[in-house]
Amino acid sequence: MSTQALVTEAPQTLRQQDWLTLANNLQLETGLFIDGRFVEARKGNRFDSLNPATGEVLASVAFGDESDVDRAVASAKQAWNGGHWRYMAPRSRMAVLMRLADLVEQNAGELALLETLDMGKPITDALTIDLPEVVSSIRFYAECIDKLEGAVTNTAAAALHLIQREPLGIVGAISPWNYPLLMATWKVAPALAAGNCVVLKPAQQAPLSCLRLAQLFIEAGGPPGVFNVVNGDGPVTGRALALHMDVAKISFTGSTAVGKQIMIYAGQSNLKRVALETGGKSPQIFMPDLEDLDAAVERAYGGIFDNAGQVCNAGSRLLVHRDLHDAFVEKFVERSRQAYRPGDPLNPATTLGPVVTRAHQQGVLAKIEQGLREGAQLVMGGGEPSGMEQGAYVSPTLFTGVEPGMSIARDEIFGPVAAVIPFEDEAEAIAIANDSIYGLAASVWTRDLKTAHRMVGALEAGVVWVNCFGDGDMTQPFGGYKQSGNTRDKSFECLLGYTQSKSAWFDLG
Ligand code: NAP
Ligand code: MG
């Protein structure tokens, strides 16, 4: 079978050389996607998307400004007013999204390759984590479409009261680069399933997979104008979308600082709804009675080093009971050194790719420097892996002797940097865990059900894992307490967030 055929039939069997060949022959779409087709930006502006593993320009991509956002919103508005999508029979809308999921699955090799080239994650991760989750997310929301129900309330016989669930109108989605297609899909899929029209602004570091998704939506039978993509940067393109008077909701995933800005834009414009999934500094807590230290350590390093630490719920704070401390650190260093081998992300054996840009790499290294200046002890990593200087790599890094007040224990670093903080007892562990502006996720390792249940209740986090880390499926509401956000992605609850209720009171007297 040719490599080209293999990428659709069996991408998991491809070797590094095959991926390189495919990368060299890839046809890239680089326009804005408006009204069902690719168009140039009005002013013809473009920006470069780089490959962080090589530093080379991967693509020159159309840059949409305010007038392009206007054009995309106008197209969405026309589609909304036309009513074709929102009034479509639920099972017909479901069929379009099911076909989209099938098309994503059939094109998973190509989409995974786009992710790897654009933001540097290992191809095996893109193929085995990102793409299957994109497919299941689209299928889950497609399946939900005819499960959305309204209500008839109890009234006097002379009245009928219906509570209907309706879509909001035009949803603006603004997404980050760490899981470019998945984070966009977590917004686009429920928004479309509920019957809204969407304008997506993907992260400028990695827009290519989102452009391909929009094209596949049309191939799946989606009406033009229902799903548009405007590439660009945050301060121009994202801002224009968040300020737009015809946008009913902004669904945002990204940093806490930009999330705050989005709320201001909503207040300055039309009081649009604002759903925020923002940063984190998640604690992983290891109690002295945990059952299996080996299993705990394995999940601990996966929880911080997977995707080179560029994960919103990354378990960057390792709260380890003093009795376990030395054995934990020793195993962590030994095992994670074996598990994370920096390499070409197109090599299926690579487990550690570069971080997303050279600038982000420098930011992560500066945080490591700051940790050293503040007196933490570096026991692993701490710089660039040797021989990988052409890309933006950071070695998996572990600090011990970390005090809760140090910047490496407080700031979201968004790179492969873990901080071990020892504790004496449960109360101290909870106090340290909750001493953060963030509250996205946490984990607890203990063999005692009562301890686990008590700690779940005490932790200020939207997601708590017990004796695991990062597990879940589409039924799981995913989102933060405190400054980690104000909404939930995934789950049925998320779908409701793309609807509003309408009360219809009939006088039958
Ligand atoms: P970011 O810098 O906040 O950017 C996120 C998105 O917002 C990008 O598309 C960005 O555009 C856009 N943006 C920037 N400034 C804007 C503005 N003034 N107005 C409107 N849009 C603007 O975040 P990132 O670096 O891409 O992603 C990392 C962050 O995302 C981390 O904090 C991480 O924790 C968070 N995250 C959270 C979750 C979650 O579910 N809670 C999931 C994944 C990531 P450009 O970058 O293209 O300019
Ligand atoms: Mg890129």
Side-chain angles (χ1 to χ4, degrees):
M1 212 186 297
S2 72
T3 309
Q4 205 67 41
L6 272 176
V7 76
T8 48
E9 304 273 314
Q12 64 285 357
T13 64
L14 295 179
R15 295 154 308 162
Q16 181 179 17
Q17 193 50 50
D18 302 324
W19 286 113
L20 274 169
T21 309
L22 284 166
N24 289 333
N25 296 315
L26 206 54
Q27 299 281 324
L28 297 175
E29 294 294 353
T30 61
L32 311 176
F33 195 82
I34 298 179
D35 212 24
R37 60 198 178 87
F38 287 105
V39 296
E40 282 305 313
R42 277 237 163 93
K43 299 199 180 105
N45 292 336
R46 292 196 153 251
F47 65 98
D48 287 337
S49 188
L50 306 181
N51 176 345
T54 61
E56 286 163 12
V57 174
L58 174 64
S60 159
V61 182
F63 184 118
D65 67 6
E66 289 89 345
S67 69
D68 297 301
V69 170
D70 266 345
R71 193 155 48 130
V73 173
S75 162
K77 194 172 178 180
Q78 196 181 9
W80 171 257
N81 288 338
H84 184 45
W85 185 246
R86 68 169 145 149
Y87 296 134
M88 192 181 271
R91 292 199 74 86
S92 304
R93 206 181 318 130
M94 184 191 294
V96 173
L97 292 182
M98 284 295 187
R99 278 197 296 274
L100 176 63
D102 292 346
L103 286 170
V104 170
E105 203 164 45
Q106 285 157 27
N107 291 281
E110 181 202 333
L111 288 161
L113 180 59
L114 289 175
E115 297 299 58
T116 292
L117 293 172
D118 220 358
M119 63 71 68
K121 74 172 62 206
I123 189 74
T124 300
D125 289 357
L127 263 182
T128 61
I129 300 168
D130 297 53
L131 266 299
E133 289 203 27
V134 170
V135 172
S136 63
S137 176
I138 300 170
R139 289 204 177 120
F140 177 84
Y141 287 112
E143 287 159 2
C144 287
I145 292 177
D146 61 354
K147 318 298 182 287
L148 261 181
E149 289 181 339
V152 180
T153 66
N154 227 348
T155 54
L160 171 67
H161 181 210
L162 306 180
I163 302 176
Q164 296 168 198
R165 294 227 70 93
E166 298 191 343
L168 301 168
I170 299 165
V171 170
I174 300 179
S175 55
W177 46 259
N178 58 339
Y179 294 84
L181 190 60
L182 182 60
M183 293 300 102
T185 302
W186 277 5
K187 305 176 174 318
V188 171
L192 291 175
N196 299 284
C197 297
V198 175
V199 177
L200 166 68
K201 193 217 81 74
Q204 60 177 307
Q205 294 84 352
L208 298 174
S209 55
C210 289
L211 291 170
R212 189 75 179 99
L213 182 72
Q215 196 180 28
L216 292 176
F217 177 71
I218 296 295
E219 205 177 315
V226 168
F227 177 21
N228 307 278
V229 183
V230 184
N231 327 301
D233 72 1
V236 174
T237 322
R239 178 174 177 273
L241 190 59
L243 279 170
H244 207 289
M245 296 301 284
D246 289 333
V247 171
K249 168 169 175 164
I250 288 285
S251 177
F252 168 84
T253 297
S255 60
T256 294
V258 176
K260 291 180 182 182
Q261 199 57 49
I262 303 282
M263 286 188 138
I264 294 173
Y265 297 146
Q268 287 171 338
S269 54
N270 60 348
L271 275 187
K272 57 177 65 64
R273 289 161 192 233
V274 176
L276 304 174
E277 292 284 9
T278 52
K281 190 76 185 173
S282 299
Q284 306 190 54
I285 306 176
F286 302 92
M287 299 300 284
D289 68 340
L290 61 75
E291 189 160 349
D292 180 347
L293 185 60
D294 290 322
V297 165
E298 192 178 317
R299 303 308 290 279
Y301 62 67
I304 177 61
F305 296 151
D306 282 355
N307 212 35
Q310 304 163 118
V311 183
C312 51
N313 61 257
S316 49
R317 291 187 293 155
L318 304 170
L319 276 53
V320 183
H321 191 271
R322 285 198 189 279
D323 292 351
L324 296 177
H325 182 275
D326 293 356
F328 182 98
V329 170
E330 192 184 319
K331 279 183 197 281
F332 187 102
V333 170
E334 183 195 313
R335 305 281 171 83
S336 59
R337 274 214 175 107
Q338 286 162 11
Y340 292 90
R341 302 233 172 253
D344 176 359
L346 289 179
N347 180 348
T350 294
T351 47
L352 183 81
V355 298
V356 68
T357 58
R358 186 65 75 180
H360 186 53
Q361 176 205 38
Q362 294 307 310
V364 173
L365 294 175
K367 284 287 179 196
I368 293 172
E369 287 296 316
Q370 197 175 350
L372 286 169
R373 276 200 307 278
E374 290 175 2
Q377 285 151 315
L378 183 67
V379 291
M380 184 177 113
E384 287 183 69
S386 62
M388 304 305 299
E389 291 76 13
Q390 78 288 0
Y393 289 79
V394 178
S395 296
T397 296
L398 183 71
F399 280 104
T400 57
V402 178
E403 300 287 339
M406 291 179 179
S407 59
I408 49 170
R410 306 199 76 77
D411 300 348
E412 182 181 47
I413 299 176
F414 224 57
V417 182
V420 178
I421 307 172
F423 68 86
E424 292 288 351
D425 57 22
E426 184 182 322
E428 191 188 10
I430 293 290
I432 296 170
N434 288 343
D435 180 19
S436 170
I437 62 165
Y438 299 112
L440 186 51
S443 74
V444 179
W445 290 79
T446 171
R447 73 173 76 193
D448 186 81
L449 187 59
K450 288 183 195 162
T451 306
H453 194 254
R454 213 170 38 240
M455 291 179 77
V456 167
L459 283 163
E460 296 165 355
V463 183
V464 184
W465 287 291
V466 178
N467 295 333
C468 61
F469 192 89
D471 297 30
D473 63 19
M474 281 305 298
T475 64
Q476 172 190 46
F478 185 89
Y481 279 26
K482 302 193 278 188
Q483 293 189 43
S484 287
N486 63 359
T487 192
R488 297 293 178 263
D489 276 339
K490 305 168 79 179
S491 71
F492 200 75
E493 179 181 343
C494 163
L495 180 65
L496 294 178
Y498 291 94
T499 69
Q500 56 195 334
S501 70
K502 177 179 280 173
S503 153
W505 194 281
F506 294 69
D507 178 358
L508 305 178

